[in-house]
Amino acid sequence: MMNPVRPQARNEAGDLLFKCQHCASPLVVNAAAAGMTLNCQRCGNPTLVPVQSATPSPTAPTELTDLQRKLKENESQRTEVTGYINQLSIQLHRWKLRLQTLNERKTELEEERRRTT
Ligand SMILES: [Zn+2]
């Protein structure tokens, strides 16, 4: 999902190019949304749309852009792993609830057996 790099941050249509505050994925919105909070298309977290486009720095040293790329990559992987952990935590919680229900049922059944004998 690599977007082609725009020659200019702000194009004719008045789009704003910026990065998600959480997962740093590149986002493009209409300039009318400047200053608003939108949900990121990738991670779903609310992120602030800047009034001005993030200015790409073509003069940045290669090492720095490489570090930024690695940092971004790391961040998106962190988001991904956090998502997995959250999912599994919910799953674990469900299984615990299920076990609790089964334990309660067991107690009920044992109670019933004691009464009938
Ligand atoms: Zn995001």
Side-chain angles (χ1 to χ4, degrees):
M1 46 146 273
M2 293 296 283
N3 289 322
V5 177
R6 293 169 190 272
Q8 283 183 319
R10 191 187 287 263
N11 68 13
E12 301 79 31
D15 286 344
L16 278 176
L17 178 70
F18 68 105
K19 281 174 183 167
C20 170
Q21 293 171 312
H22 305 278
C23 67
S25 70
L27 301 168
V28 180
V29 293
N30 193 278
M36 284 167 52
T37 301
L38 296 175
N39 285 339
C40 170
Q41 289 167 344
R42 189 171 189 277
C43 70
N45 286 313
T47 188
L48 186 72
V49 181
V51 180
Q52 278 210 317
S53 278
T55 39
S57 42
T59 50
T62 327
E63 200 185 335
L64 186 61
T65 45
D66 191 49
L67 278 174
Q68 280 170 336
R69 187 185 54 77
K70 281 177 184 166
L71 199 62
K72 194 173 128 185
E73 209 172 275
N74 178 285
E75 188 59 30
S76 72
Q77 282 181 17
R78 274 169 19 92
T79 306
E80 198 181 342
V81 171
T82 306
Y84 287 141
I85 291 173
N86 287 343
Q87 266 178 9
L88 287 173
S89 298
I90 292 167
Q91 198 61 47
L92 181 66
H93 182 67
R94 286 193 186 131
W95 284 120
K96 279 179 174 172
L97 281 179
R98 176 87 178 117
L99 183 62
Q100 198 187 332
T101 310
L102 287 169
N103 283 339
E104 282 166 10
R105 183 73 182 134
K106 182 184 174 229
T107 313
E108 272 174 28
L109 289 171
E110 282 174 351
E111 199 72 34
E112 211 174 305
R113 187 183 58 184
R114 211 171 300 138
R115 274 202 305 270
T116 47
T117 50

